[in-house]
Amino acid sequence: MLREHTGDSNFSLPYWNYGPNTNRKFPKAFGVQHLDGNPGNDADDNINPLFMKERDFYLTYYEHPLIPNMPLLELSDAVVDNTSVLATDVFFGATEDTGIGGGIADNTPGTRGLLESRPHDNIHRVVGGIIPGAAVGHDQNGHEIEIDALGAMARPPTAGFDPIFPVHHTNIDWIWTQWSVMQARSGVPFQTPLGSWRGHGSSSMRRETASTNRGNHTSITERSE
């Protein structure tokens, strides 16, 4: 669709495919602060627009006056693990931890589906970084209290300001695509466990594969029963 609208047959969205071991290091294009490699040159046109200071230092920074091989850390297997996501055959599970998209919609902000939980949330947490009790806040009575210090990606109100945000989310789209194709090939329908989702009666979701002049694709359709 984007290639059609841009008129560029090679157009594609970048994504950080952090699943393979060779891609676990934070992308250098986003982690270098000074474009010419000189930390002393703080001219505006030498500051990388993809760099953001409010990230975990030893995971995302490529510059350090005493450490030549930054960053020192990479994403671990636990952070990027999506085996439970790809293993499920239901989109909406009976509970939040059984469906790739979660369970029945509710008003509890803490509930989320498998894909949202991991690796989506994990990447936000480790890239942003968290230092427990390192900041000062105020309670409802105005008294100072210790709160966690969070980088931009670790906080929903600021995560979208980090340039790494969209390439993380396009990878989540890629994982979703892998799951969709796996289910389509197996012919497994996926069900909404409760009839109240989106105000429908008893409903189910099914996949259909189709061939168009743009190649094979998988479409998702809904029917009420």
Side-chain angles (χ1 to χ4, degrees), residues 61-192:
Y61 275 56
Y62 276 76
E63 297 178 15
H64 190 286
L66 302 177
I67 304 176
N69 56 338
M70 288 285 285
L72 297 180
L73 304 177
E74 296 184 1
L75 300 177
S76 68
D77 290 340
V79 171
V80 305
D81 179 47
N82 63 12
T83 53
S84 62
V85 173
L86 297 180
T88 186
D89 61 1
V90 294
F91 187 86
F92 294 108
T95 60
E96 291 292 329
D97 59 358
T98 58
I100 188 175
I104 188 68
D106 58 35
N107 295 320
T108 305
T111 56
R112 48 181 42 85
L114 291 173
L115 185 55
E116 178 79 3
S117 298
R118 51 190 179 273
H120 172 269
D121 286 356
N122 289 344
I123 298 297
H124 275 276
R125 294 184 180 111
V126 299
V127 170
I130 300 176
I131 306 176
V136 176
H138 297 84
D139 62 18
Q140 59 185 0
N141 298 316
H143 300 136
E144 288 190 354
I145 56 173
E146 287 186 354
I147 61 174
D148 297 341
L150 306 175
M153 277 283 281
R155 299 183 63 245
T158 57
F161 292 104
D162 191 325
I164 201 67
F165 179 94
V167 295
H168 163 43
H169 279 254
T170 46
N171 193 55
I172 294 298
D173 290 343
W174 164 231
I175 297 172
W176 152 262
T177 299
Q178 295 176 69
W179 180 84
S180 298
V181 171
M182 290 170 62
Q183 296 301 304
R185 287 177 176 172
S186 67
V188 176
F190 59 105
Q191 305 289 326
T192 56

Side-chain angles (χ1 to χ4, degrees), residues 7-54:
D8 183 353
S9 60
N10 294 316
F11 183 88
S12 62
L13 291 173
Y15 62 100
W16 177 17
N17 184 14
Y18 34 70
N21 290 331
T22 54
N23 292 342
R24 300 289 179 81
K25 183 172 287 189
F26 191 76
K28 189 172 184 178
F30 295 81
V32 172
Q33 182 176 6
H34 298 89
L35 294 174
D36 67 355
N38 178 11
N41 182 4
D42 289 327
D44 289 343
D45 61 358
N46 192 44
I47 301 300
N48 183 4
L50 299 179
F51 176 82
M52 191 175 199
K53 288 185 176 181
E54 293 80 9

